[in-house]
C-alpha cells in the first residue's frame, strides 16, 4: 500500500477556504509533511497572506489567492493562475463552507442564498474550473469535496448547513461515478471528506436570525461552541484524511464516530423510521 507521501508528495494542492480551520490544517499538513506546493484560496485575503508567510518561513512553497467561490469566473481565474504558477494540480480540495443557526422558517432569505452559493455552488464551480484540466492530464490526481458528519445525519436548528452537506455528499458520489463512466477513474480519484468535530471558527461566524426565535438560534450556537472545546485539531484531521486516501478509502473521516453516524443513518433508512429528535448537549465520543 502506498503512503500519503508517495502519492501526494511534491505535488500541488489547491484548497478553498484555506484561511482557517480544516482548510488551513490541510494546507499546513500538505506543505510541511508532504512537501506539496499549496495554493491558498479564500475571501479572507489577510488570513491566507499570513498563512503563506508562515509556510514560506518553513521553506514551503505557498501561493495566496483571494477567491470568492460563489463567483465561477473567480474559480476559472484561480485555475489559470495555478496552471501558470504551480503547474498541474495533484489535489483539489473544495473546502470553503459556512454555517447557519436557527429554525428554518426564521432563516433570512439572503443567508440561505449565501450558504447555498458557498457550500454547494462553490463546490460545483471548483469542479467546473479544475476538473477538465485534471482529466486531460495523464498523471494521478484527486478531488476532495468537503461534506460533513452533517451529511449523514439530521438535526434541528442548522437545517441549511446540514442540507448543503447532504447535497455535497450526493454530488461527490455522482461525480465519482461520472469520472468512471467517462473512462478517467484510473487517474482521477474523487473522494468525499466527512469531518466530525474539528476545531475551526465556523460556529462563531455562522449566520444568525434577526426575527422569530433568536434565542433558540443563539442557544444552539453556544452548544456547538462547547462541542468545539472537544474538537480534534485541524492538522490531526488532515493527517487522518490523507492516510485514509492513501489506503484507497472513498469516505474520509476525522473520527470513528463519523462512521458510527453513517451506520445509524443507514439503519434509519433501511427501517424507514422518522428521524429521532436530537436534544440537549452535544458530546464528541472518544476514539
Amino acid at each position: 500500500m502506498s503512503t500519503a507521501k508517495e502519492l501526494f508528495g511534491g505535488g500541488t494542492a489547491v484548497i478553498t477556504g484555506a484561511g482557517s480551520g480544516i482548510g488551513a490544517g490541510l494546507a499546513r499538513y500538505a506543505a510541511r509533511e508532504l512537501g506539496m506546493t499549496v495554493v491558498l484560496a479564500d475571501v479572507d485575503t489577510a488570513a491566507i497572506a499570513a498563512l503563506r508567510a508562515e509556510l514560506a518561513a518553513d521553506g514551503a512553497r505557498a501561493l495566496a489567492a483571494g477567491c470568492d467561490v460563489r463567483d465561477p469566473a473567480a474559480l476559472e481565474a484561480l485555475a489559470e493562475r495555478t496552471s501558470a504558477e504551480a503547474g498541474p494540480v495533484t489535489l483539489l480540495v473544495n473546502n470553503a463552507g459556512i454555517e447557519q443557526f436557527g429554525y428554518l422558517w426564521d432563516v433570512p432569505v439572503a443567508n440561505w442564498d449565501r450558504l447555498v452559493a458557498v457550500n454547494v455552488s462553490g463546490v460545483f464551480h471548483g469542479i467546473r474550473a479544475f476538473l477538465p484540466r485534471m482529466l486531460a492530464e495523464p498523471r494521478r490526481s484527486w478531488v476532495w469535496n468537503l461534506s460533513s458528519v452533517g451529511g449523514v445525519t439530521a438535526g434541528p436548528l442548522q437545517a441549511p448547513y446540514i442540507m448543503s452537506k447532504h447535497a455535497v455528499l450526493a454530488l461527490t458520489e455522482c461525480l465519482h461515478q461520472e469520472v468512471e463512466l467517462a473512462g478517467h477513474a484510473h487517474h482521477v480519484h474523487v473522494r468525499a471528506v466527512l469531518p466530525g468535530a474539528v476545531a475551526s471558527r465556523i460556529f462563531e461566524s455562522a449566520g444568525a436570525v434577526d426575527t422569530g426565535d433568536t434565542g433558540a438560534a443563539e442557544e444552539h450556537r453556544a452548544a456547538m461552541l462547547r462541542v468545539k472545546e472537544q474538537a480534534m485539531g485541524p492538522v490531526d484531521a488532515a493527517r487522518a484524511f490523507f492516510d485514509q486516501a492513501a489506503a484507497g478509502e472513498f469516505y474520509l473521516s476525522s473520527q470513528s464516530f463519523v462512521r458510527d453516524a453513517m451506520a445509524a443513518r443507514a439503519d434509519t433508512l433501511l427501517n424507514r423510521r422518522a428521524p429521532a429528535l436530537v436534544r440537549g448537549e452535544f458530546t464528541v465520543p472518544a476514539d
Side-chain angles (χ1 to χ4, degrees):
M1 183 179 69
S2 299
T3 66
K5 181 78 170 181
E6 291 167 339
L7 292 178
F8 296 95
T12 294
V14 178
I15 304 168
T16 67
S20 64
I22 292 171
L26 285 164
R28 288 186 172 102
Y29 188 83
R32 290 173 175 156
E33 302 299 326
L34 304 179
M36 301 187 78
T37 296
V38 290
V39 179
L40 312 170
D42 205 299
V43 291
D44 188 340
T45 55
I48 54 175
L51 181 55
R52 188 209 64 78
E54 173 195 320
L55 294 174
D58 293 338
R61 186 172 183 225
L63 306 176
C67 182
D68 186 340
V69 298
R70 296 174 295 178
D71 179 4
L75 270 298
E76 287 290 346
L78 179 64
E80 290 288 346
R81 180 183 174 190
T82 300
S83 179
E85 299 184 28
V89 173
T90 305
L91 173 63
L92 169 66
V93 184
N94 290 305
N95 165 73
I98 57 176
E99 253 279 20
Q100 172 68 45
F101 296 131
Y103 286 110
L104 186 58
W105 52 87
D106 291 336
V107 172
V109 171
N111 288 23
W112 170 272
D113 289 344
R114 178 170 179 259
L115 184 143
V116 172
V118 173
N119 292 15
V120 181
S121 295
V123 175
F124 169 67
H125 296 154
I127 291 164
R128 283 272 301 174
F130 283 92
L131 187 56
R133 292 171 168 87
M134 298 167 75
L135 295 176
E137 281 284 335
R139 68 178 62 202
R140 185 180 292 185
S141 60
W142 284 261
V143 176
W144 292 4
N145 295 330
L146 268 287
S147 181
S148 164
V149 64
V152 293
T153 59
L157 298 168
Q158 53 188 127
Y161 177 80
I162 289 175
M163 173 280 303
S164 74
K165 295 305 180 179
H166 277 257
V168 170
L169 182 58
L171 179 155
T172 305
E173 292 168 335
C174 292
L175 181 64
H176 169 75
Q177 295 182 52
E178 291 184 0
V179 168
E180 182 175 357
L181 180 64
H184 297 288
H186 62 288
H187 72 104
V188 176
H189 310 286
V190 177
R191 299 291 183 259
V193 184
L194 292 88
V198 180
S200 74
R201 292 190 54 79
I202 194 170
F203 300 140
E204 290 91 335
S205 60
V209 298
D210 48 22
T211 60
D213 196 337
T214 58
E218 291 311 310
E219 286 172 12
H220 196 72
R221 185 195 306 274
M224 297 309 290
L225 286 171
R226 287 190 286 275
V227 170
K228 180 180 172 180
E229 296 173 0
Q230 312 162 52
M232 172 184 280
V235 173
D236 290 333
R239 179 180 295 106
F241 300 148
F242 274 106
D243 286 347
Q244 290 164 32
E249 296 187 31
F250 177 83
Y251 300 100
L252 314 180
S253 60
S254 56
Q255 291 129 312
S256 62
F257 77 83
V258 177
R259 295 186 288 278
D260 295 339
M262 295 170 76
R265 174 71 174 176
D267 184 68
T268 295
L269 294 172
L270 181 64
N271 290 285
R272 297 183 295 167
R273 290 193 298 271
L277 176 60
V278 178
R279 294 181 181 272
E281 289 297 318
F282 299 90
T283 58
V284 177
D287 275 345

